[in-house]
Amino acid sequence: MLSRLYKQRRTLLGVLMFFTLIYSPHLTAQTVEPIDKDRLQTLITERHGRPLFLNIWATWCTPCLEEFPDIIRLSRKHTEIDVVAISADYPDETESKIIPFLKTMNVPFKVYVASFNTQDEFFSMFDKAWGGEIPATFIYTGNGTLKKFLRGKHSFAEFKKVVEEVAKKQ
């Protein structure tokens, strides 16, 4: 009788460990690809009618990290928009800094790392008046027109309001 209970307990423990490994947010597959000028231009302009919420962030930026949970929440609540983030970290920090952060946050959307010759080249892709301060969020219509530029850290409520305004005006 005891050996049967021991086997059942061991089997149950094995099943629980299996599901913990499979569904653990820390083990979520997350890839980060470099994005250059051409690929960024395509991302922005080839919208196929879907608005784009594009956030520029970095692992060393505290306000960026603080607003990231709100962006994740927005992406889960507003599936009618494409949420994308571009890290301003160096591309060689992808494995050591970017991916570990994304895995701990269980990020459900696409993330890139900027791969430009200069930061000025990267910044000029968005808004000529933007000096590169982050976090920065750009919201595009479904035809690739920039509708909103948000400087600094924002909350879920602020993001939601802007996204709904843009979606309504399409």
Side-chain angles (χ1 to χ4, degrees):
M1 175 84 165
L2 275 165
S3 90
R4 185 172 157 200
L5 287 174
Y6 177 74
K7 286 180 184 177
Q8 286 177 339
R9 183 175 167 206
R10 198 173 72 188
T11 302
L12 180 59
L13 183 62
V15 169
L16 288 173
M17 287 179 60
F18 171 78
F19 281 110
T20 301
L21 288 173
I22 295 297
Y23 293 107
S24 171
H26 300 289
L27 298 176
T28 300
Q30 178 68 52
T31 61
V32 176
E33 300 171 14
I35 191 164
D36 60 14
K37 186 177 183 175
D38 293 335
R39 196 166 184 189
L40 179 57
Q41 189 65 38
T42 300
L43 175 70
I44 292 169
T45 59
E46 293 183 14
R47 300 296 332 129
H48 307 289
R50 289 182 57 85
L52 174 65
F53 178 99
L54 181 61
N55 180 263
I56 312 299
W57 70 287
T59 59
W60 46 263
C61 167
T62 300
C64 299
L65 303 182
E66 290 172 348
E67 79 174 1
F68 225 85
D70 289 331
I71 296 170
I72 292 168
R73 183 175 168 204
L74 181 83
S75 75
R76 290 188 171 131
K77 181 159 178 67
H78 286 279
T79 57
E80 74 280 5
I81 63 167
D82 291 333
V83 175
V84 174
I86 300 177
S87 173
D89 290 282
Y90 294 113
D92 65 357
E93 296 175 318
T94 300
E95 295 295 325
S96 64
K97 293 182 179 179
I98 302 169
I99 290 177
F101 171 75
L102 299 175
K103 284 183 178 179
T104 63
M105 298 298 291
N106 198 18
V107 176
F109 49 83
K110 184 67 184 155
V111 178
Y112 296 94
V113 61
S115 182
F116 286 75
N117 293 327
T118 66
Q119 286 184 332
D120 288 338
E121 181 185 17
F122 178 55
F123 302 154
S124 69
M125 291 288 298
F126 300 97
D127 186 312
K128 302 294 183 207
W130 181 44
E133 65 277 2
I134 57 174
T137 303
F138 301 87
I139 302 172
Y140 296 88
T141 64
N143 65 8
T145 303
L146 179 62
K147 275 300 189 193
K148 287 287 185 179
F149 171 31
L150 305 172
R151 295 172 191 257
K153 178 181 154 189
H154 292 276
S155 69
F156 171 77
E158 293 167 315
F159 287 142
K160 181 178 183 281
K161 180 181 176 193
V162 172
V163 163
E164 289 174 352
E165 286 174 12
V166 170
K168 200 182 291 185
K169 292 181 182 178
Q170 286 207 99

